[in-house]
Amino acid sequence: MRDQKINTLIIEDNENLAFLYKKSLEKDSEQLFEVSHAGSLEEGISRIASLDLSAVLLDLNLPDSRGLDTFLRIHECTPTIPVVVLSGMDDDNLALEAVKMGAIDYLVKERVDGKIIARVLRYAVERQRTEETVYKIARDVSAATGDSFFRSLALSLTRSLDLDCAYIGEFNAERSALHTLAISRNKQITNNIIFSVEGMPDERVLMESGIYSTGNAQIDYPKNMRLKELGTQFFLGVRLETNDKEPLGVLGMMDTKDRKNDLKRLQSIASMFAGRVSAEIQWKRAKTELQEAREHEINIGVKIQQALLQGKVPENIPGLQVSALSIGGEKIDGDFYEFFTYNPSCMDVFVGDVMGKGIPVALLAAGTKTEILRILGELLSAGYVNQYPGLVEILSRTQDQVAPKLISLESFITLCYARLNLQKKSLQMIDCGHTKTLHYKQKDKKSSLLEGSNMPLGFSEDDKFEIHSWPIELGDVIILYSDGVTEARNAAGDFFGEERLQKLVDENYYLHPKNLVHHILDQVVSFVPQGARFLDDLTCVVFKVVDHHLASNSRHVRYELSSDFQELLSVRRLVKAFCQSLNGVGLDEEPENQIVLACDEIFCNIIEHAYQEAKDKRIVFEMQIVDDLIQFDFVYWGERFDPKTVPAPKFDGTQDGGFGLYIVDQSMDSIEYSFDEQNVNRIILKKKIKTKK
Amino acid sequence: MNLNVTLEGNISIIVVDCAQLDVSNSKNFKDAMAPYVGKAANILLDLEKIEFCDSSGLGAILSSYRVLRDHGGEMRLCSMQSSVRTLFSLVRANRIFEIFNNREEALKILSA
């Protein structure tokens, strides 16, 4: 308590006693008391109203009131001012009752002297003021938590206790430094500081509670707290700790005035809030740990996803371009996919989604994927040498293994199991409640949705599987995906939906699958409002048929592709296969090499010069036999580019580029170029052919 | 891009370990060759694994060759598959490079 006056009202009808008390209080060594006197209850009540009182010393038996009533009347007028009751030897019990009803203390008249009265009143006022301060601080911080709690407490401490500085610091993990959680100086929150504890001579002091006072220096605080430079006369530190007494930090109060006279009050207030501060620090740490645990779980999820749930995209299937992409949602999901290649013309693919989220779901997905692969291995080793294991058998065995577990776990899996057979020109599929497969047909220039008829795995233990089959042709695009794609929502709450997906594919079917899969998922991500949470995984698997045998007419093959150098391999394969199929016998090696080279060079030139290497432009490529000529048409919409205008290269070793069109010119019998009003460029290459004899 | 390099006498035999040498990897090829062509080396470039090479691939080989030549080195080629041979003959690269059918033939003649 700082040196504030204690305005005391003595209500006592015995004038002599009242005089005695007044004189002893006024003589008190600290000279804090200012004393007034009233001889009756009524007079007392009227004085209370006019005085700014700190305490009341009250005799219970007055001329106009007796016993407990006297106290109750006074207490009613001044519920917040401490009242000390005076009683005689014979009414101890009465005084005790008054204390129970709210009197701060009682004194027996026959046993008191001035010193005792002064001490009791001082204590009563101090307690009252402390309570009021604590109540005010508690009210200031009641609604706050976390960082805002630390800041509002520091601020409230400086303002309520008239301190120059209040400080809340937390030890780092090594307890080598104190990190400021909040510091309030001159009754304002200021920037945080980190005090280094390690290596200081006074290192241990912050582990303990302590007081720094220039008047009576008990403990020096770390030098880099700069207490002396800051003109600090007083520092009180209360240790913050866990229930197990592990140090958490320090709650400190600093002042440029020495506050050692107020030490007890400051200490008790600091101690009162130390528990709440410690609890907040521990809650903050728990939240950080929880966050770290969540991130750790997400990292595990990503690893599971990459290592166990995502299949390896086959690269060496000449008749198919394949790509797959999975973007992890905020929580670990159960999307999985895998490919199984039997030979260059037949492969299986399956895409599944386990209901729910979290690591258990991811593990269930990984387990199911492994089980399907194990069953495939088992069926292959059991004699499927010249034929492929039946889809129904694969799914039935999977159901036998997986469904009972799923049922017991109250979970289920949607699964699409598909087989692409280039020899049979077919797509076969068993669809167990999965999202519809999208099939873009180049012939129809539009996509349709393919759907099967089975229930998700885990709904029943004896579902009868049904195979559905569709023809596939050159240029067709097949897309399997998870519900995260179609069920993404925009700000208005609309789903991305199948219709948008179909439209997207109908406009971008010619892209290389690697670009198409990115384009689709980019569109889905940008459909969802920025900052919105992506709960579901987005999984998308794209196939494009590039096997010319699947063209509807073997003498005229039309194929659309994108302006991406990744397409080169497919172009060369298509051209080579077309040449080799001519008249069932093919061309000689040299002209075939020349044709492949020429088509490769034209394709590169279109991308470089007409499209400036943009990857998403369209090129239509046609191969046909016209009498004894083989003809290749390239149609594109970019910059006007006439290959015939390119000058011939030098062959003296000084030039390492610019050979492409010379190569085309040397390889083919003719190059025709045209450009029409619709900005359509067309290059036609022709070569007279002689098939093998 | 992987280059497998072995030393036979004073000849560095470099096997280009990829099936295609085209626009998608010609820059990688040049970068991978840089340490070997920046000195007066005697290089035999073995193309046995290359199934297809287009003008970009050819340009990359020529570029490496010119750097090597400027450092006083020499480059010879061997083991071309038919499609690569077609390209080299179309652009008359046999005027620039000495080309051998296979590695044995090259080593026999070069070390004689």
Side-chain angles (χ1 to χ4, degrees):
Chain A
M1 184 171 71
R2 303 188 95 166
D3 302 342
Q4 287 178 336
K5 292 287 176 194
I6 301 174
N7 290 331
T8 309
L9 174 65
I10 301 170
I11 309 177
E12 167 64 79
D13 58 338
N14 184 327
E15 295 281 341
N16 291 337
L17 273 179
F19 182 75
L20 202 64
Y21 298 149
K22 186 170 185 283
K23 283 295 155 198
S24 7
L25 286 176
E26 283 169 354
K27 275 198 301 190
D28 180 72
S29 58
E30 293 179 36
Q31 298 191 324
L32 293 174
F33 290 95
E34 279 181 4
V35 185
S36 330
H37 171 240
S40 67
L41 180 68
E42 285 315 314
E43 191 191 349
I45 289 171
S46 71
R47 299 298 291 269
I48 284 169
S50 63
L51 290 169
D52 180 18
L53 280 180
S54 312
V56 174
L57 190 63
L58 177 68
D59 181 9
L60 288 179
N61 293 321
L62 297 169
D64 50 350
S65 175
R66 297 193 69 79
L68 276 181
D69 271 353
T70 312
F71 167 72
L72 290 174
R73 291 282 305 278
I74 293 291
H75 190 54
E76 208 175 81
C77 301
T78 62
T80 58
I81 292 174
V83 177
V84 175
V85 167
L86 291 163
S87 71
M89 283 283 269
D90 51 351
D91 52 6
D92 254 20
N93 289 338
L94 199 64
L96 217 61
E97 278 300 302
V99 170
K100 279 183 193 164
M101 291 174 148
I104 203 94
D105 208 343
Y106 78 93
L107 295 167
V108 179
K109 287 182 185 178
E110 290 83 349
R111 292 190 196 144
V112 296
D113 61 21
K115 279 186 182 167
I116 294 176
I117 296 176
R119 202 185 65 219
V120 167
L121 281 173
R122 257 204 316 272
Y123 172 72
V125 171
E126 192 177 310
R127 211 168 82 181
Q128 180 68 20
R129 285 183 182 164
T130 303
E131 270 173 20
E132 276 172 15
T133 311
V134 168
Y135 176 71
K136 185 186 174 308
I137 298 170
R139 205 177 44 202
D140 286 349
V141 300
S142 65
T145 57
D147 287 343
S148 125
F149 166 76
F150 299 130
R151 281 196 300 271
S152 46
L153 179 61
L155 199 59
S156 183
L157 287 174
T158 52
R159 289 179 180 175
S160 310
L161 300 172
D162 192 26
L163 288 164
D164 288 323
C165 178
Y167 168 82
I168 302 168
E170 181 191 4
F171 290 119
N172 61 359
E174 300 78 29
R175 290 185 203 148
S176 58
L178 260 178
H179 289 260
T180 310
L181 295 170
I183 183 162
S184 164
R185 273 198 187 133
N186 302 324
K187 304 185 175 69
Q188 299 291 331
I189 289 291
T190 60
N191 289 340
N192 286 352
I193 333 164
I194 297 170
F195 299 114
S196 169
V197 178
E198 206 164 41
M200 303 298 299
D202 312 296
E203 185 176 333
R204 67 186 172 78
V205 301
L206 286 173
M207 303 291 167
E208 312 292 335
S209 295
I211 305 143
Y212 168 96
S213 157
T214 46
N216 177 20
Q218 298 185 27
I219 288 170
D220 269 347
Y221 269 78
K223 301 282 185 292
N224 71 346
M225 264 186 160
R226 301 192 305 139
L227 295 178
K228 277 183 186 142
E229 290 96 312
L230 292 167
T232 308
Q233 298 282 319
F234 174 85
F235 183 97
L236 165 70
V238 173
R239 168 182 151 121
L240 304 170
E241 59 188 19
T242 66
N243 290 340
D244 302 329
K245 310 284 176 206
E246 282 294 309
L248 291 167
V250 167
L251 172 63
M253 297 172 177
M254 282 182 242
D255 212 320
T256 47
K257 294 173 283 298
D258 198 344
R259 300 283 292 268
K260 70 175 185 294
N261 290 339
D262 204 7
L263 181 64
K264 268 192 166 175
R265 187 172 73 112
L266 296 179
Q267 249 175 341
S268 72
I269 291 174
S271 305
M272 273 179 213
F273 287 96
R276 167 90 196 273
V277 177
S278 301
E280 284 289 343
I281 291 177
Q282 289 176 87
W283 173 232
K284 183 174 79 80
R285 288 184 179 179
K287 275 203 292 196
T288 309
E289 275 171 30
L290 193 66
Q291 182 62 27
E292 282 169 2
R294 277 203 190 118
E295 277 164 20
H296 183 62
E297 187 175 329
I298 288 170
N299 287 341
I300 292 177
V302 169
K303 280 180 191 153
I304 291 179
Q305 209 167 38
Q306 286 167 351
L308 301 174
L309 302 184
Q310 298 173 7
K312 188 175 176 345
V313 176
E315 283 174 354
N316 283 320
I317 301 198
L320 282 176
Q321 291 175 335
V322 191
S323 188
L325 189 64
S326 210
I327 300 176
E330 191 174 271
K331 293 188 175 164
I332 304 151
D333 214 339
D335 283 10
F336 62 95
Y337 60 85
E338 187 56 283
F339 306 89
F340 194 90
T341 309
Y342 297 101
N343 57 46
S345 56
C346 185
M347 69 173 298
D348 287 358
V349 56
F350 53 90
V351 176
D353 186 0
V354 182
M355 184 201 74
K357 312 236 169 280
I359 288 180
V361 164
L363 291 173
L364 199 54
T368 305
K369 196 188 106 173
T370 311
E371 194 59 37
I372 296 174
L373 288 177
R374 190 190 65 73
I375 288 164
L376 272 169
E378 208 173 79
L379 289 170
L380 282 171
S381 62
Y384 284 91
V385 181
N386 296 315
Q387 52 178 320
Y388 310 120
L391 295 189
V392 170
E393 185 150 18
I394 296 167
L395 265 293
S396 300
R397 287 203 190 195
T398 304
Q399 175 172 258
D400 291 348
Q401 294 299 321
V402 175
K405 292 171 196 159
L406 288 169
I407 290 167
S408 73
L409 291 167
E410 294 182 346
S411 185
F412 64 85
I413 296 176
T414 68
L415 181 80
C416 179
Y417 193 107
R419 173 166 297 162
L420 283 139
N421 190 327
L422 299 180
Q423 256 175 346
K424 289 190 173 173
K425 303 183 181 185
S426 77
L427 165 69
Q428 289 184 307
M429 196 171 89
I430 291 179
D431 170 15
C432 306
H434 198 68
T435 50
K436 292 170 193 165
T437 298
L438 193 146
H439 182 191
Y440 175 84
K441 290 181 197 149
Q442 187 173 287
K443 191 176 67 180
D444 302 344
K445 296 194 188 309
K446 65 173 187 181
S447 60
S448 56
L449 294 167
L450 313 181
E451 193 179 8
S453 49
N454 283 98
M455 292 184 286
L457 297 177
F459 273 23
S460 150
E461 286 190 53
D462 53 5
D463 197 13
K464 300 282 173 256
F465 292 101
E466 287 172 36
I467 301 176
H468 297 259
S469 195
W470 295 270
I472 48 172
E473 293 198 9
L474 176 70
D476 283 9
V477 179
I478 295 141
I479 302 178
L480 293 90
Y481 53 93
S482 64
D483 58 2
V485 173
T486 41
E487 289 173 13
R489 282 171 189 263
N490 66 6
D494 303 329
F495 286 122
F496 187 80
E498 292 161 347
E499 215 172 292
R500 262 192 202 86
L501 182 63
Q502 272 189 281
K503 187 167 178 282
L504 192 61
V505 174
D506 289 355
E507 287 165 0
N508 297 282
Y509 61 90
Y510 58 87
L511 292 178
H512 189 283
K514 279 187 188 168
N515 299 330
L516 183 55
V517 82
H518 278 281
H519 186 62
I520 291 171
L521 296 192
D522 284 352
Q523 291 297 309
V524 175
V525 169
S526 52
F527 183 73
V528 174
Q530 222 173 8
R533 302 165 99 196
F534 246 105
L535 295 178
D536 279 340
D537 286 356
L538 301 178
T539 297
C540 195
V541 179
V542 178
F543 296 92
K544 190 171 182 189
V545 180
V546 293
D547 184 349
H548 99 285
H549 293 107
L550 273 69
S552 49
N553 176 354
S554 66
R555 289 178 70 79
H556 182 184
V557 174
R558 186 178 186 280
Y559 178 62
E560 295 194 26
L561 65 168
S562 61
S563 55
D564 190 325
F565 289 124
Q566 286 188 94
E567 304 270 19
L568 276 172
L569 191 60
S570 298
V571 170
R572 295 198 292 257
R573 279 172 173 163
L574 275 168
V575 173
K576 197 166 181 154
F578 188 69
C579 291
Q580 286 173 354
S581 69
L582 291 178
N583 295 343
V585 287
L587 300 176
D588 284 332
E589 203 174 40
E590 183 75 2
E592 181 190 301
N593 288 341
Q594 289 176 347
I595 290 169
V596 172
L597 202 50
C599 290
D600 173 281
E601 297 293 348
I602 289 292
F603 193 78
C604 283
N605 273 283
I606 293 171
I607 296 175
E608 275 177 43
H609 301 295
Y611 286 136
Q612 276 81 43
E613 301 194 19
K615 292 181 176 181
D616 57 350
K617 305 297 177 191
R618 192 156 69 103
I619 300 173
V620 179
F621 176 53
E622 286 179 73
M623 311 185 280
Q624 56 189 307
I625 302 294
V626 184
D627 302 327
D628 60 346
L629 288 174
I630 188 167
Q631 179 179 324
F632 300 91
D633 290 26
F634 298 83
V635 177
Y636 53 98
W637 288 260
E639 292 284 311
R640 189 173 180 154
F641 164 65
D642 183 351
K644 285 194 272 188
T645 58
V646 178
K650 290 179 191 162
F651 297 102
D652 56 2
T654 58
Q655 191 176 332
D656 50 25
F659 299 111
L661 294 167
Y662 175 82
I663 291 167
V664 179
D665 192 49
Q666 294 295 302
S667 301
M668 306 301 284
D669 294 340
S670 74
I671 309 178
E672 292 165 27
Y673 170 77
S674 65
F675 180 77
D676 68 18
E677 286 138 10
Q678 276 82 46
N679 290 338
V680 176
N681 292 271
R682 183 183 287 268
I683 294 174
I684 302 172
L685 306 182
K686 288 180 185 166
K687 190 176 179 79
K688 195 165 181 184
I689 50 162
K690 281 183 206 153
T691 47
K692 283 179 185 168
K693 295 219 168 88
Chain B
M1 160 120 13
N2 266 342
L3 299 179
N4 298 329
V5 185
T6 49
L7 202 62
E8 191 88 29
N10 67 337
I11 302 168
S12 299
I13 303 165
I14 300 180
V15 181
V16 187
D17 192 7
C18 67
Q20 327 279 335
L21 195 56
D22 63 10
V23 67
S24 66
N25 59 359
S26 54
K27 187 176 180 308
N28 292 349
F29 170 80
K30 271 200 276 188
D31 293 345
M33 283 294 283
Y36 305 104
V37 296
K39 56 194 173 192
N42 193 358
I43 290 175
L44 177 64
L45 197 62
D46 188 330
L47 303 176
E48 65 169 352
K49 295 195 174 174
I50 302 206
E51 292 164 12
F52 179 82
C53 178
D54 67 6
S55 65
S56 301
L58 170 73
I61 295 173
L62 279 169
S63 166
S64 301
Y65 157 75
R66 284 198 289 124
V67 176
L68 179 67
R69 194 188 56 186
D70 292 347
H71 283 87
E74 285 187 76
M75 184 186 284
R76 296 172 177 93
L77 311 177
C78 72
S79 316
M80 284 179 184
Q81 296 197 24
S82 83
S83 70
V84 182
R85 198 173 276 276
T86 299
L87 168 73
F88 274 68
S89 65
L90 278 172
V91 297
R92 304 169 217 160
N94 49 349
R95 290 196 204 165
I96 300 163
F97 296 110
E98 203 173 345
I99 300 170
F100 299 97
N101 288 323
N102 53 53
R103 190 191 296 195
E104 290 69 32
E105 182 190 300
L107 290 176
K108 199 171 156 189
I109 294 171
L110 294 174
S111 43

